[in-house]
Amino acid sequence: MNDNVTAMMLDLASLESVREFAGKIDVPVYALDNNAGISGSSSGQTVDGLDPVFQSNHLGHFLLTNLLLPKFDKNFCRLLTLEEFSAQINGTRKDDFFFDIRGFQRALHIG
């Protein structure tokens, strides 16, 4: 165990959890790696009423990054954000988060 490392719970599928997590950070942030996510096996909606894949893979990271920006070290901070390949192919439509307009196809939209 390293005294300089602390494990904390974060649920990217809950915007409240993201806010709570960011509120507990009381040290300068030197690096943030937005790489966690889920595949298309989840269905339904999150407690926030959003698609769980979209919220966990995109909105949760976006909110976390914005909340932590003021805590980034002013002299040096690295930010890395990764996304799955299918997001690059199919894009995100702000008018169709739940695929009501274009329909959901697992192979195309999840990869």
Side-chain angles (χ1 to χ4, degrees):
M1 193 57 94
N2 184 329
D3 291 337
N4 295 318
V5 177
T6 302
M8 297 170 56
M9 182 66 80
L10 171 60
D11 179 2
L12 292 168
S14 165
L15 300 180
E16 180 182 346
S17 175
V18 174
R19 287 185 180 95
E20 186 178 305
F21 177 89
K24 291 179 181 177
I25 304 296
D26 59 358
V27 295
V29 175
Y30 294 97
L32 179 60
D33 181 359
N34 293 323
N35 190 30
I38 60 174
S39 69
S41 60
S42 298
S43 61
Q45 295 182 355
T46 65
V47 295
D48 301 300
L50 300 165
D51 175 74
V53 175
F54 183 69
Q55 183 168 335
S56 295
N57 294 357
H58 301 285
L59 297 179
H61 290 145
F62 180 79
L63 178 60
L64 179 63
T65 300
N66 278 279
L67 293 173
L68 291 180
L69 279 175
K71 300 176 184 188
F72 281 8
D73 181 77
K74 304 301 181 222
N75 297 313
F76 180 84
C77 184
R78 292 190 182 263
L79 172 62
L80 175 65
T81 300
L82 304 172
E83 68 178 42
E84 58 183 285
F85 183 67
S86 64
Q88 295 174 3
I89 295 172
N90 298 297
T92 300
R93 286 182 54 174
K94 292 182 270 186
D95 64 336
D96 192 21
F97 285 142
F98 295 103
F99 297 96
D100 294 327
I101 298 169
R102 59 185 160 157
F104 179 80
Q105 296 177 19
R106 180 183 173 90
L108 290 176
H109 297 109
I110 302 302

